[in-house]
Amino acid sequence: MDEELLETIDEEELEEDDFKIPSFLDQSSEEEIHKKMLDILPDDIDKSEGGYVYDLTRPTAIEVSRMKEFELVEALKLIWPRYAEGAYLDYHAETRGFQRKEAINATGVLHITGTAGTVIPEGSIFTTESINDEPEKEYETLEEAVITSEGSVDVKIQCTEPGLNGNSANNTVNLEEDLIDGITEVTNPAPITGGAEEEDDESLRERIMEYDQSQGDSFVGNISDYKRWALSVEGVDTATIFSPQDNSGKVKIVITPSNDELDLQELKDKVTNYIMSPDNPENRLAPINALVEVVTPDKLVINITATVELKPGADLVTVTNAFKKSVNSYLKTTVDEGKIRYTQISNLLGDTEGIYDYSGLLICKEGEIEGKTDNILVDPNVIPEAAVTLHEPENSN
């Protein structure tokens, strides 16, 4: 196979994800295929390298090898959610009755000052300033508004583009794209929040595989059902379910948001309405007589300290941020297990790009005086969050 194609195929990656290449794709290298082609031809034909027949058949061998060693392997992998990506992963979700969670538009309130009676049509566009080559952000009004006799009005707005980029600090939306006579000033007194990115492949894949693994469940309101329902709501990152502890029939659902900018009360209401459907009882997912209580956990800060030796060219701030990101991803999974494993934190630190070696790794809950090397128990009603402090050795340059 040619060198360019070899660079395209990552054999180590195939081994790491445990995908077993079928035996019918063995002996698919360019050399093996070309030899078979030449062996089929009569012996009285010149098949030497550089000859007409050799040069004529070689390109075919290259393309057949590409198809067998790469394209067919990749096509076979798409059959399973574990290896599928993008639209093909969406197809897997669709056959199971759900879909990728869409991106969410950030929303907020715009305070408009001007002449009393001035009408601001629904869909009017207001923007932030373009600073340091960063493009302006556009926000549209969600309703028609009229400036009151007091000379101002508050109107709901949302970013015209979904995603995290729509979140903005207070007093940053202050320009009109569609100039309206009678408006003298606009601003957003409070931050514009709630924007979230479209669900990524990893999250959707986890939901699909969890769904497949729960096929033996009853699907009439068990823990797996409530967890799947809660995770189907845009903006929900994790969900932990607690069965009723008394005769009330109330199921407790502890959710965490996909990002800190989301309105927690609005998110809790969305989960409750999705499961209970009070306005459309026929769409209710929860069994009759079941009640749900959707809550968000308090944060539990986990202090993590260590001394690290960096690889040449590595930057301590970059390394710290990368380690913190990987730890926070792990901490989200610890609620179900009920503990934070010291060994897992240690593994994450050792695997962080840019770290050559480390020592003195200690972890503890916020408020504790000394760090430890023990596991930390996690209450299901809290969500752990890492506070990381990494130091270089005192004698480092």
Side-chain angles (χ1 to χ4, degrees):
M1 184 177 295
D2 60 342
E3 292 183 0
E4 181 179 352
L5 182 57
L6 282 172
E7 291 176 357
T8 305
I9 304 175
D10 189 345
E11 296 292 347
E12 292 184 359
E13 183 177 338
L14 291 179
E15 293 177 3
E16 289 176 359
D17 62 22
D18 299 327
F19 181 76
K20 184 174 177 59
I21 299 177
S23 59
F24 66 81
L25 293 178
D26 291 343
Q27 298 181 337
S28 298
S29 71
E30 177 186 318
E31 294 296 335
E32 290 168 326
I33 292 174
H34 195 207
K35 183 178 183 303
K36 292 177 186 178
M37 295 176 67
L38 294 177
D39 288 345
I40 294 173
L41 296 173
D43 292 334
D44 59 351
I45 296 178
D46 179 15
K47 296 180 279 186
S48 61
E49 183 174 355
Y52 176 77
V53 171
Y54 185 98
D55 290 345
L56 185 65
T57 54
R58 189 71 176 184
T60 302
I62 293 174
E63 289 306 309
V64 172
S65 177
R66 176 191 294 272
M67 181 182 68
K68 294 185 67 176
E69 286 199 331
F70 178 63
E71 294 175 358
L72 280 179
V73 171
E74 292 302 307
L76 287 170
K77 290 170 71 174
L78 295 177
I79 297 174
W80 292 277
R82 179 179 177 183
Y83 307 106
E85 298 177 344
Y88 300 97
L89 194 61
D90 290 330
Y91 296 151
H92 282 290
E94 183 179 336
T95 61
R96 291 157 176 82
F98 54 92
Q99 60 187 5
R100 188 187 300 268
K101 290 185 278 191
E102 297 180 352
I104 303 174
N105 299 70
T107 59
V109 174
L110 193 66
H111 183 74
I112 301 175
T113 304
T115 305
T118 299
V119 177
I120 297 95
E122 179 181 351
S124 298
I125 302 297
F126 298 86
T127 73
T128 60
E129 294 184 28
S130 177
I131 301 175
N132 296 329
D133 296 328
E134 286 291 327
E136 62 188 23
K137 303 178 186 179
E138 294 187 351
Y139 298 86
E140 60 181 347
T141 56
L142 298 178
E143 56 193 0
E144 182 179 276
V146 179
I147 296 179
T148 67
S149 57
E150 297 178 353
S152 64
V153 66
D154 290 335
V155 58
K156 294 180 180 178
I157 58 172
Q158 76 171 15
C159 187
T160 57
E161 297 290 335
L164 284 169
N165 186 58
N167 298 326
S168 292
N170 59 304
N171 299 322
T172 55
V173 182
N174 47 32
L175 299 176
E176 299 176 66
E177 182 170 288
D178 303 325
L179 296 178
I180 300 174
D181 291 337
I183 293 180
T184 57
E185 185 181 12
V186 297
T187 190
N188 56 307
I192 297 174
T193 62
E197 298 298 325
E198 179 183 69
E199 183 176 20
D200 58 26
D201 282 352
E202 182 179 354
S203 174
L204 180 58
R205 184 179 295 110
E206 288 179 359
R207 290 205 289 135
I208 291 173
M209 296 180 72
E210 184 172 281
Y211 173 88
D212 290 345
Q213 292 165 4
S214 63
Q215 284 302 289
D217 296 335
S218 67
F219 290 88
V220 290
N222 54 43
I223 289 178
S224 296
D225 292 335
Y226 282 103
K227 185 170 185 177
R228 185 178 71 257
W229 295 333
L231 291 176
S232 296
V233 176
E234 286 86 354
V236 175
D237 188 30
T238 66
T240 305
I241 314 302
F242 298 91
S243 300
Q245 301 300 309
D246 49 33
N247 296 325
S248 66
K250 182 180 290 185
V251 177
K252 186 175 183 180
I253 305 175
V254 181
I255 62 171
T256 60
S258 56
N259 71 77
D260 293 335
E261 301 293 337
L262 292 174
D263 185 300
L264 296 183
Q265 186 57 54
E266 183 178 330
L267 186 61
K268 289 188 287 186
D269 291 342
K270 285 172 64 176
V271 174
T272 301
N273 292 336
Y274 179 74
I275 295 174
M276 303 300 289
S277 190
D279 297 330
N280 257 313
E282 59 187 36
N283 294 330
R284 176 188 172 108
L285 299 175
I288 297 174
N289 296 327
L291 300 173
V292 299
E293 179 187 11
V294 183
V295 300
T296 51
D298 296 326
K299 288 185 178 180
L300 171 65
V301 176
I302 303 298
N303 293 317
I304 303 174
T305 60
T307 300
V308 295
E309 295 182 40
L310 302 180
K311 295 179 180 178
D315 173 74
L316 183 62
V317 174
T318 302
V319 167
T320 300
N321 290 338
F323 173 56
K324 182 177 180 180
K325 182 178 180 180
S326 62
V327 170
N328 279 330
S329 295
Y330 162 66
L331 292 180
K332 291 178 181 179
T333 70
T334 61
V335 177
D336 289 334
E337 186 179 4
K339 67 175 67 173
I340 299 170
R341 297 184 180 274
Y342 175 86
T343 54
Q344 183 62 29
I345 301 293
S346 177
N347 291 337
L348 292 173
L349 181 59
D351 291 340
T352 300
E353 183 70 26
I355 291 182
Y356 174 74
D357 198 5
Y358 68 92
S359 61
L361 173 63
L362 297 173
I363 63 175
C364 67
K365 296 180 181 178
E366 184 180 37
E368 294 181 342
I369 299 176
E370 296 183 355
K372 304 176 182 177
T373 58
D374 301 327
N375 296 336
I376 296 177
L377 297 181
V378 179
D379 187 288
N381 293 306
V382 302
I383 185 68
E385 183 177 275
V388 175
T389 304
L390 300 182
H391 303 281
E392 292 187 80
E394 293 183 1
N395 59 352
S396 62
N397 293 325

